[in-house]
Amino acid sequence: MKLFNKISNNNFTKSVLLVSGGTAFAQLLNTVLSPVISRIYLPEEYGVLTLYTSILGFLTIISSLKYEHGIAIADNDKKAINVLTLSLIILFIFVSLITLIFVLIKVINLDFNFKYSFLIPIGIFTTGLYRIFMQWSFRKKNFKSISKTKVSQSIFSNITKISLGILNFSSVGLILGNIIGGSAGIRTLSSQLRKSERNLFKSVNKKRIIWSAKRYVNFPIFLAPSQLLNAAGIHVPIFFLTFMYGNQMLGFYGLANTLVNIPTLLVGNSVGDVFYGEAANIGKKEPERLKKLSIVLFKKLLLIGIIPLIVVILFGPYFFSIVFGSNWHEAGIYARILSFMVFTRLIFMPISRVFEVYEKQKEALYLDMLRFTLVLLVFIFSILMSLNPYWTVSLYCLVMSLIYFLTFFLAQRIINKEIISND
């Protein structure tokens, strides 16, 4: 409790601890079971999972055209429920189109070298539903339900992966574990809306849905392309690494990336989610309070992240060899390289949610265009210079760390301008 005792809003502290508590248990379970799963599956099979999650992560960004982000900041529940309905309609249309595309690819026999493509639309649909109802939970500050879903996702994902791995399902076992785990929690997040608040659906009509589409049109125009470019900066490297170095290297990279991101998943995302919930409520009315909160969070995250960073840099390869087996020693080397980028993401990115709160989608789009351009240049340079995978990943981490710092800097400027305009 002392970790956040300087944060002025005690409810915020409780919310962070509640969400991070569920996330902590989930990540602890993932960490404990990772050595088991890594001994069931080969690095090449982890590489297939990494490629699948990258494709999924890229496509789910635009599955609802980002209209779901209007749910938490809508003026009242009647408007919010119409935004939610709009998001669900767009999600259904998007999944149908993606399914049709993959069917056409199969029919005309195009060379799409990913045999598990039929699982992609399923993953998009379940992930999209989870994110939409997550926004409703943000609106209601129902962080207890969010915490529960983190635990259930981890349990179902790991049980599925281990069970199917024992049955020799190969890569598909990992992918199905990802899908089943990701979908766990949808019922919990939607429970309040389906039961005590279901009368809100009587407020849904065509006119209000169209109004919602127009009111939050900046989300599909600016935020969707912005986050698509943001995702490209994260997931395009996976496609390049697969092309340049193969599935085995990608497997090492994927496991390393998963484990070194635990501090971000454990603390950073929880803080970011709760910060977003608070900012959506107080950001426009009390920007000074939001400014103080953001600075305190930055300092706390800095202290939290520095210890894992030092540990991974010093002992990464040895840790991976002992815990996951000698076959995974190389993953420890990539963990060492990735650790600084993960550290900068942890301390800088949770506060960047102010771009959404103050509807600065255009600025976020420009920033993500810069990020995508720099990442693309890194891999083009690596190909031209025939760099080994260590140098390629190092350059990528350097560029991403600089972008995370710039994002934080601009987020602070946005808050400062809001303070001035309120005065």
Side-chain angles (χ1 to χ4, degrees), residues 7 24 43 98 106 122 148 158 183 239 254 311 354 356 380 418:
I7 298 178
I98 293 295
K106 187 72 174 178
I122 300 173
K148 287 181 179 178
N158 284 294
S183 62
F239 307 138
V311 170
V354 298
E356 300 168 33
I380 291 173
E418 196 69 21

Side-chain angles (χ1 to χ4, degrees), residues 8 13 50 60 77 143 175 188 216 261 263 317 345 368 396 411 414:
S8 59
T13 303
T50 304
T60 52
D77 285 351
F143 300 114
I175 294 174
T188 301
Y216 296 105
N261 269 291
R345 182 190 303 155
D368 287 318
Y396 165 67
I414 289 171

Side-chain angles (χ1 to χ4, degrees), residues 135-256:
Q135 289 294 326
W136 188 265
S137 295
F138 286 155
R139 177 177 185 81
K140 296 299 179 177
K141 294 188 178 182
N142 189 8
F143 300 114
K144 184 177 181 180
S145 291
I146 295 174
S147 180
K148 287 181 179 178
T149 65
K150 302 297 183 183
V151 176
S152 61
Q153 285 180 328
S154 177
I155 292 173
F156 281 101
S157 177
N158 284 294
I159 289 176
T160 304
K161 289 176 182 177
I162 293 172
S163 300
L164 296 182
I166 293 172
L167 295 173
N168 295 318
F169 269 63
S170 186
S171 301
V172 74
L174 291 169
I175 294 174
L176 288 175
N178 180 273
I179 292 174
I180 293 172
S183 62
I186 293 174
R187 184 177 180 182
T188 301
L189 292 181
S190 62
S191 176
Q192 182 179 349
L193 185 58
R194 288 184 292 106
K195 295 177 182 178
S196 61
E197 298 173 336
R198 61 184 178 183
N199 286 334
L200 284 172
F201 283 104
K202 295 179 180 179
S203 304
V204 175
N205 58 51
K206 182 179 178 182
K207 183 179 179 180
R208 287 171 176 163
I209 291 174
I210 293 174
W211 181 89
S212 299
K214 292 178 180 178
R215 168 61 181 87
Y216 296 105
V217 71
N218 278 348
F219 286 116
I221 291 178
F222 295 112
L223 184 61
S226 171
Q227 294 204 351
L228 194 62
L229 287 170
N230 186 309
I234 296 172
H235 299 296
V236 164
I238 301 300
F239 307 138
F240 272 107
L241 292 174
T242 304
F243 169 74
M244 295 166 67
Y245 307 113
N247 278 340
Q248 186 182 54
M249 178 270 164
L250 188 63
F252 292 134
Y253 175 90
L255 182 63

Side-chain angles (χ1 to χ4, degrees), residues 248-249 252 256 317 320-321 326-335 389-390:
Q248 186 182 54
M249 178 270 164
F252 292 134
F320 274 76
S321 296
S326 58
N327 289 339
W328 293 94
H329 178 270
E330 192 170 342
I333 300 175
Y334 289 112
Y390 302 130

